[in-house]
Amino acid sequence: MVFGLGRKAKKEEPAQPAEELTAAEPGEAGTAASTRGQDGPFDESEVGSRDGFVDLGALLITPSEGLQLRLEVEEATQRVVAVTLDLDGSSLQLQAFAAPKTETLWDEIREQIGQSVGAQGGQVEEVEGAFGTELVAKLPAGLPDGSQGYRVARFIGVDGPRWFLRGVLGGPAALERPAAEALETLFRKVVVVRGDSPMPPRDLLQLRLPKDASATPPPAGPTLEEPERGPEITQIG
């Protein structure tokens, strides 16, 4: 499995993620609260051991044939702020955050994402999907031929015990539910390692490169406002 290291040009604001965008078609209805315990993503306390996982610190990832992991590093602090799973031409960015014991974050974060997208001239829509309420976002973007199009993004979020896990789907998985199935399966298998240390809500849980991994730097990436792996751009009209 290949590990890549990307860069973030600015200090990230975890609650207002505008750099990655994805789209979705309505899927099977459900709520994250009612399905997480039995279907995942899982808390560390719900798995027997870390054997068989790729250990990234706060996140344990299940290996998959053809899967590549890309750790995104904040340039100012050199800390790892996200991991992106690349599979079959699509991507899934993962970030885990500390959360209060008795409150959930996803409803509030969806609202803030909507405000951020709206400020950039985009549109958002809430849909019911396999992980409960999801967010579909569209941002204006120019096509290579000069015509106007838009970038589409699908945000999914799951509240766990004292943590919140956010996923952002890109590529074909952003536009087609069948193309997202493999990454959705990997999302369900993610294990979050919250740890026992007190942390303010919304603080990023610490990620790290596995000890036995060799990092392969990707080509120079764009700034924080542009995704390292851009979502699908669809022509309007």
Side-chain angles (χ1 to χ4, degrees):
M1 183 176 294
V2 177
F3 290 84
L5 292 179
R7 292 181 178 179
K8 296 289 185 181
K10 301 177 183 178
K11 185 175 182 179
E12 185 177 2
E13 293 293 338
Q16 299 180 8
E19 73 275 15
E20 291 271 355
L21 295 176
T22 40
E25 298 175 359
E28 182 181 8
T31 63
S34 63
T35 62
R36 188 206 67 78
Q38 58 185 5
D39 297 330
F42 299 100
D43 184 73
E44 181 188 20
S45 64
E46 297 166 335
V47 297
S49 73
R50 301 191 183 194
D51 294 343
F53 292 99
V54 179
D55 189 344
L56 302 177
L59 297 176
L60 306 181
I61 307 296
T62 300
S64 178
E65 182 69 28
L67 177 66
Q68 294 189 354
L69 301 183
R70 182 158 37 93
L71 299 181
E72 300 178 21
V73 179
E74 184 179 81
E75 187 171 356
T77 64
Q78 292 300 300
R79 67 168 180 165
V80 180
V81 296
V83 57
T84 298
L85 283 57
D86 293 319
L87 182 66
D88 297 332
S90 294
S91 63
L92 170 64
Q93 185 199 65
L94 297 173
Q95 288 181 302
F97 305 89
K101 290 182 179 180
T102 58
E103 298 179 16
T104 60
L105 295 180
W106 184 217
D107 289 344
E108 184 178 354
I109 287 177
R110 285 201 315 274
E111 180 179 353
Q112 293 177 341
I113 294 173
Q115 293 172 353
S116 177
V117 172
Q120 300 176 63
Q123 299 177 339
V124 294
E125 177 186 4
E126 289 192 352
V127 299
E128 289 301 311
F131 299 95
T133 304
E134 302 173 352
L135 195 66
V136 175
K138 295 181 179 181
L139 276 173
L143 295 172
D145 62 4
S147 60
Q148 183 65 36
Y150 56 84
R151 294 182 298 163
V152 188
R154 176 184 165 203
F155 292 83
I156 53 181
V158 172
D159 289 291
R162 299 174 61 236
W163 53 258
F164 168 74
L165 179 66
R166 192 199 73 191
V168 188
L169 287 159
L175 300 171
E176 304 171 10
R177 180 68 65 173
E181 288 180 355
L183 287 173
E184 287 181 352
T185 297
L186 288 174
F187 186 79
R188 287 200 181 279
K189 293 180 179 179
V190 169
V191 177
V192 179
V193 182
R194 166 61 176 81
D196 298 325
S197 301
M199 295 181 66
R202 299 172 179 268
D203 269 16
L204 276 168
L205 301 186
Q206 185 174 358
L207 295 168
R208 58 172 172 77
L209 187 70
K211 296 179 180 179
D212 58 350
S214 59
T216 303
T223 63
L224 178 62
E225 286 74 24
E226 293 293 332
E228 293 185 10
R229 182 185 185 88
E232 291 293 309
I233 299 179
T234 303
Q235 187 167 1
I236 297 176

